[in-house]
Amino acid sequence: MELLAIAVLGVFALGYFLLGGADIGVGMLLPALGRDAHQRHLVVTSIAPFFLGNEVWLVATAAFLVGAFPELEGRLLTGLLPAVVALLASWVVRDMGLWLRGRAEARAWWAVCDAATTAGSWGVALSWGWMFAGLLAGQVDAVATGPGALPAAAAVATLFAVHGLAFARLRLAGTLHQRAAALFGRFGEWPGLALTSGAMALLCLAVGFQLPLREHAADPGTLGLLLPAALVLTPVLVAAQACVWWVFRARAEGPLYL
Amino acid sequence: MDPDTLELARLQFALTAGGHFLFVALTIGLATLVACVQTAATLTGNPVHERMTRFWGQLYVINYAVGIVTGLVMEFQFGLAWSGLMHAAGNVIGASLAMEALVAFVVEATFLGLWIFGWGRLNRWVHLGLIWVVVLTAYASAYWILVSNGFLQHPVGFERSGGQLRLTDAWAVLTNPTATTAFWHVLGGSLVTAGVFVAGVSALHLFRRTPEVKLFTASLRLGVLTALPALFVTVVAGGIQFSQLQPMKAAVFGQDDAEVAALQAAQTARFGPGDYVPPDAWTRGGAIVMLLAFALLLYLLLPSALLALITPVVRRFRLWHLVLVAAVPLPYVAMLAGWVFREMGRQPWVIDGVLRVEDAVSDVSAAAMRTSLLVFTVLFGLLLVVNWWLLLRQALRGPGAVALGRMPEETRPLSPTF
């Protein structure tokens, strides 16, 4: 049962880092991809219908961690407190930038919201990088502070950005598409995304194997309640999200709600 | 551990939970009203109902978006600041917190995204179904959170083994009376909040004589006629809760000094020396403010329900319009005061009779806790201001300026990604 719980946690976490990682990366590159207010609006539109559904995977990951590995959750979050606070604060800032951009029509408001989206996205990616830096070294109870922490965090953030770029290439059209495609040269759209996704997945697995999950699973009684719920939920979630992706399969060429 | 950490962690939890609840209170109720109006719009095809759905839906979405991010902080708060609670009771409340996020929030957010962005792209019956899924999952969310909270108030269905609690009777936890009555209380309260909000915003438009008279007449009526019955549900569920109070909370509320002393002595004998009396001012103060706000709402809503039936009055009784506008904060005050009563009244326990607050706090430095308190307080303060500014702005601009569900002027040929 512990193995099944670990597998479920892994699926949720991969869902977040692959899907959410892409929209975070696009957010990081917002000023680079969109050079004026209209272009930036299109870049935001390219992730608008997806980002809420994507971050839901992190909510599910955290929830499953609380339910199935409660003690480890407390230990991890307390140990990594500065990085988790930075992650949450950046997440809040980024989401507000995305959600509220379209709620007022003024260049200054758009500029503020776009800045929030960009800064928040960088903050989220760097916070993950900071956490991963310590976790990869097998350090669960404290954030990494050594000389390697900063380059490691920057490397992880770069991976988010490149993954976002590969996604933006699929979602954007015209000039913006070409701008996003520049880095990839003759590499195809889908192979490019597959490559960045593979790198992201490998990173997550490497971190996952460093966590003492097996020793910290909750009681069988508790898992017996949670696992069926998670197993029923996951197909529903996947189906609903597949529906979102299908409805919004068109490249972002005109503005949407946000 | 630094004693400052405890106080800072408590303050942080109070502010984030209170801040988050301000959004939740409106979200749950307003989602219900939007779903009802959309049902009417879908059944009748009446354009007024359709515009109502989009107008109130827009306000709902703004409030929800800001509410989500405060909820995210809440989700992580247990592990960040209260890892002692997760260590001791994670097997019980970890599961219900997880169920809240997994089976309720995750589905709610996914379907809400589809509802927002799928407007006009999906079959209208499917689109209507989506908002009802959002409403039901919002209720489920409230239920699971109150199962967690109910366990803290009145722990059932567990046994102690080592330093940890073990779940023995899931059904007892799920049907814990302190959770189920609180659920109806919160649900009723949310509908009161949303009803008074809808009535207040509509009254403001009627007062300003904006052109959308028909829409706001119907909305004002909807708001008032929802809020009054919801208030009765809230009161009944609240009254039942008074019979479920912990003896100490009841004694402090009733100012029964002899009983307080007797309970203090009994708990000292049972749990060792300590102060088992909750802070009097907060506990009683919370209860009194809640009851006062309820009384004001009752005196306002009873005649309002009658006035709302008479169309010329709804359109032209301007003094009443102002009173309705002024009433918008009242349910919020009642809700927050009620939570203060419920939570302060069980101090010093985080799980009544099982785990003390001081034993639940994370082992982190006061400096780290102070920084996170500062970060979240500034962020939440900013969010509250932005939320109310945007809500007010959107509310004042009226249904003409709503972006939600607006159809694009031109339809381009699809160039699909997938």
Side-chain angles (χ1 to χ4, degrees):
Chain A
M1 209 134 76
E2 289 93 20
L3 282 181
L4 188 59
I6 293 171
V8 170
L9 188 71
V11 168
F12 287 165
L14 277 178
Y16 170 71
F17 285 104
L18 292 181
L19 300 173
D23 73 60
I24 292 164
V26 174
M28 293 163 82
L29 300 172
L30 179 57
L33 288 171
R35 302 282 159 82
D36 58 38
H38 174 71
Q39 290 187 348
R40 281 194 284 272
H41 194 175
L42 285 178
V43 176
V44 168
T45 302
S46 75
I47 55 170
F50 310 117
F51 81 94
L52 178 62
N54 292 348
E55 66 193 26
V56 150
W57 289 93
L58 178 58
V59 176
T61 310
F64 198 73
L65 194 63
V66 172
F69 308 90
E71 225 195 307
L72 182 65
E73 196 253 0
R75 217 176 115 192
L76 270 177
L77 262 61
T78 305
L80 305 179
L81 187 124
V84 177
V85 171
L87 170 74
L88 289 176
S90 312
W91 190 358
V92 169
V93 168
R94 167 190 142 85
D95 274 22
M96 286 302 89
L98 288 169
W99 274 113
L100 302 180
R101 187 186 200 278
R103 299 288 67 78
E105 291 77 36
R107 274 179 189 280
W109 176 252
W110 291 335
V112 167
C113 286
D114 288 341
T117 304
T118 311
S121 301
W122 277 96
V124 168
L126 286 168
S127 305
W128 282 120
W130 192 11
M131 277 186 259
F132 282 7
L135 292 175
L136 280 173
Q139 185 183 341
V140 175
D141 293 310
V143 283
T145 46
L150 196 62
V156 173
T158 310
L159 178 58
F160 271 85
V162 177
H163 186 48
L165 204 56
F167 181 69
R169 206 176 155 201
L170 273 167
R171 296 286 306 141
L172 293 167
T175 330
L176 295 179
H177 168 82
Q178 280 159 13
R179 211 172 276 159
L183 181 73
F184 292 91
R186 258 182 263 153
F187 222 67
E189 287 190 340
W190 284 100
L193 188 64
L195 191 72
T196 57
S197 302
M200 190 66 102
L202 277 179
L203 177 68
C204 295
L205 289 176
V207 171
F209 280 114
Q210 292 290 339
L211 292 176
L213 290 164
R214 284 199 78 161
E215 302 85 326
H216 284 91
D219 284 341
T222 307
L223 288 184
L225 198 70
L226 267 180
L227 276 174
L231 292 177
V232 170
L233 170 87
T234 311
V236 176
L237 195 60
V238 171
Q241 296 214 338
C243 180
V244 178
W245 291 85
W246 177 251
V247 172
F248 299 101
R249 65 194 178 280
R251 285 176 196 266
E253 288 175 286
L256 263 174
Y257 169 69
L258 285 189
Chain B
M1 192 203 59
D2 195 328
D4 280 353
T5 304
L6 175 64
E7 290 310 311
L8 291 165
R10 290 182 67 197
L11 184 59
Q12 174 168 315
F13 198 91
L15 289 176
T16 42
H20 178 56
F21 199 75
L22 288 175
F23 300 100
V24 174
L26 182 61
T27 293
I28 297 178
L30 200 51
T32 314
L33 294 183
V34 170
C36 290
V37 175
Q38 188 172 350
T39 307
T42 312
L43 286 173
T44 64
N46 182 336
V48 172
H49 290 159
E50 199 259 336
R51 286 161 65 75
M52 268 169 87
T53 311
R54 286 179 50 211
F55 178 68
W56 297 111
Q58 173 75 81
L59 295 179
Y60 161 68
V61 168
I62 292 174
N63 188 67
Y64 186 91
V66 194
I68 290 182
V69 293
T70 56
L72 298 175
V73 177
M74 282 300 297
E75 192 196 7
F76 286 85
Q77 181 115 149
F78 291 97
L80 278 177
W82 303 102
S83 56
L85 174 67
M86 299 320 288
H87 172 76
N91 278 313
V92 186
I93 68 158
S96 48
L97 288 173
M99 293 292 262
E100 189 272 329
L102 284 178
V103 303
F105 173 74
V106 161
V107 180
E108 180 184 1
T110 308
F111 279 74
L112 181 70
L114 208 47
W115 183 74
I116 294 173
F117 294 104
W119 213 303
R121 291 162 190 258
L122 298 166
N123 173 295
R124 65 199 183 101
W125 292 98
V126 172
H127 191 244
L128 176 65
L130 291 174
I131 188 73
W132 278 108
V133 173
V134 171
V135 172
L136 293 178
T137 46
Y139 290 0
S141 199
Y143 168 74
W144 285 108
I145 285 300
L146 289 166
V147 165
S148 312
N149 182 267
F151 181 82
L152 303 183
Q153 303 285 341
H154 175 59
V156 291
F158 73 98
E159 63 175 18
R160 286 173 206 245
S161 87
Q164 293 185 318
L165 309 188
R166 205 171 279 276
L167 182 66
T168 54
D169 185 354
W171 186 246
V173 175
L174 299 183
T175 56
N176 188 347
T178 51
T180 49
T181 45
F183 170 75
W184 293 109
H185 190 60
V186 163
L187 186 57
S190 301
L191 284 166
V192 174
T193 309
V196 173
F197 176 83
V198 167
V201 172
S202 307
L204 187 60
H205 278 276
L206 294 167
F207 180 82
R208 287 161 34 115
R209 302 188 203 280
T210 42
E212 304 273 354
V213 176
K214 234 181 184 169
L215 189 153
F216 286 114
T217 305
S219 297
L220 187 145
R221 231 172 236 159
L222 174 73
V224 169
L225 296 181
T226 305
L228 184 64
L231 189 66
F232 286 119
V233 173
T234 316
V235 172
V236 171
I240 298 172
Q241 283 180 298
F242 266 93
S243 67
Q244 296 167 343
L245 294 183
Q246 298 91 339
M248 184 61 104
K249 195 190 282 178
V252 169
F253 172 68
Q255 285 185 306
D256 187 345
D257 293 340
E259 178 73 6
V260 169
L263 288 166
Q264 164 72 22
Q267 297 210 28
T268 309
R270 196 171 151 209
F271 302 112
D275 182 6
Y276 297 96
V277 185
D280 181 78
W282 284 101
T283 308
R284 272 180 57 76
I288 289 167
V289 171
M290 171 183 77
L291 292 170
L292 276 177
F294 153 69
L296 282 173
L297 279 168
L298 186 69
Y299 291 133
L300 170 70
L301 287 173
L302 271 177
S304 293
L306 290 176
L307 292 175
L309 299 177
I310 312 161
T311 305
V313 173
V314 174
R315 292 190 177 172
R316 280 188 283 275
F317 189 179
R318 307 188 78 211
L319 185 63
W320 179 46
H321 292 157
L322 289 181
V323 174
L324 284 175
V325 173
V328 170
L330 269 182
Y332 287 103
V333 172
M335 291 271 223
L336 277 192
W339 273 112
V340 167
F341 175 49
R342 184 171 167 100
E343 299 302 297
M344 289 307 273
R346 75 181 145 106
Q347 299 299 319
W349 300 106
V350 59
I351 306 176
D352 194 52
V354 175
L355 186 72
R356 272 176 248 232
V357 172
E358 64 199 59
D359 299 322
V361 73
S362 293
D363 185 17
V364 296
S365 71
M369 195 58 83
R370 192 171 291 122
T371 312
S372 82
L373 172 67
L374 189 71
V375 168
F376 290 135
T377 308
V378 169
L379 264 183
F380 276 38
L382 206 63
L383 286 180
L384 274 174
V385 172
V386 170
N387 183 51
W388 281 98
W389 172 65
L390 285 173
L391 277 184
L392 191 68
R393 189 171 174 279
Q394 190 74 53
L396 286 174
R397 292 173 76 197
V402 168
L404 185 69
R406 185 190 292 154
M407 293 306 130
E409 286 85 16
E410 46 163 349
T411 43
R412 286 161 175 275
L414 287 179
S415 59
T417 304
F418 314 113

